[in-house]
Amino acid sequence: VLDELSRQGIERPDAVMEINLEYIKFTLSRSDMYRSETVSAAGTMPVDEHYALSLMCWLMLMAAVIYHPVMRSGQGAWRSRLRSAGCSGAVWAVGAAAPVLLCSLVLTAAVCAFFGSVTAGGIVSCAVFAAGFSALLCALCPEEGTASAVIFAASCALTFLAGGIIPPALMPEELAWLVDSSPVGAMRLAITGEGSWLLAALGAVMLAAAGALCAGSYAREAER
């Protein structure tokens, strides 16, 4: 640059001064090259509400283990008497799933009322999914200890994918889309009033699967 300026008749001291002045101007104005943006750790939802709702959803799923005696009662003689009285496997499955769904409805309504966002869609969506999650895992696990471990692992995994453990802003881009679309994320949105009927449909499918397992278990134990 100095050689080029000297060929243009500009003395070296003047060229050095001009270059330094231009560099100082560039340094002082480089902030204009950047755009500031504030990003919330929890996305669009306030941080305290995001984690409070995530914790509530996790506790709702963790409560699944208390339903294990209903879904996995090993009273074969009692079931034989019910079957002799005309109680079919389908009726038994409905009777076993009904208290799970009822308790889930009450628990979800209490959580929604606590956050001041009571909507029929949100309550039904969360309750049906929580009931399906609880019933299916309890029906699949023969022992209460096994059910506790599986329910804990599954609920923690769903909470993690929903950004309830690691801030969504720090999650890998490959998992970021799961923050709101994962079951716990959908429950979180449903509690705030954005009902997700897809969540309810998933819960209904799991309830149906749990009912089929309970009906099969009822039939096998009644025949013993």
Side-chain angles (χ1 to χ4, degrees), residues 88-196:
S88 64
V91 173
W92 166 260
V94 172
V100 179
L101 180 57
L102 178 61
C103 290
S104 297
L105 281 169
V106 173
L107 183 59
T108 305
V111 172
C112 291
F114 178 79
F115 281 93
S117 178
V118 181
T119 61
I123 292 174
V124 171
S125 299
C126 288
V128 172
F129 176 78
F133 175 87
S134 304
L136 183 58
L137 292 188
C138 289
L140 286 171
C141 300
E143 303 294 335
E144 190 169 357
T146 304
S148 299
V150 171
I151 289 167
F152 176 78
S155 60
C156 286
L158 293 178
T159 305
F160 169 78
L161 293 176
I165 299 176
I166 297 178
L170 300 181
M171 292 183 68
E173 293 183 2
E174 294 78 7
L175 299 178
W177 65 275
L178 289 170
V179 171
D180 290 332
S181 58
S182 64
V184 170
M187 289 176 70
R188 192 169 53 215
L189 292 176
I191 291 175
T192 59
E194 300 179 30
S196 172

Side-chain angles (χ1 to χ4, degrees), residues 10-94:
I10 300 177
E11 298 294 332
R12 182 182 179 87
D14 295 335
V16 171
M17 179 65 69
E18 186 68 24
I19 291 173
N20 287 336
L21 288 175
E22 290 297 325
Y23 178 76
I24 291 171
K25 290 179 182 179
F26 170 78
T27 303
L28 294 176
S29 62
R30 65 180 179 178
S31 60
D32 298 336
M33 300 171 59
Y34 303 97
R35 178 170 57 89
S36 299
E37 182 179 357
T38 302
V39 179
S40 172
T44 58
M45 189 176 290
V47 175
D48 55 346
E49 185 175 337
H50 171 87
Y51 285 108
L53 287 173
S54 297
L55 177 61
M56 288 292 183
C57 293
W58 178 74
L59 291 175
M60 288 169 62
L61 298 183
M62 274 295 296
V65 72
I66 67 176
Y67 306 124
H68 192 268
V70 178
M71 307 301 297
R72 293 294 305 187
S73 179
Q75 302 176 21
W78 179 54
R79 294 188 182 187
S80 296
R81 289 193 293 270
L82 286 175
R83 188 173 187 181
S84 64
C87 179
S88 64
V91 173
W92 166 260
V94 172

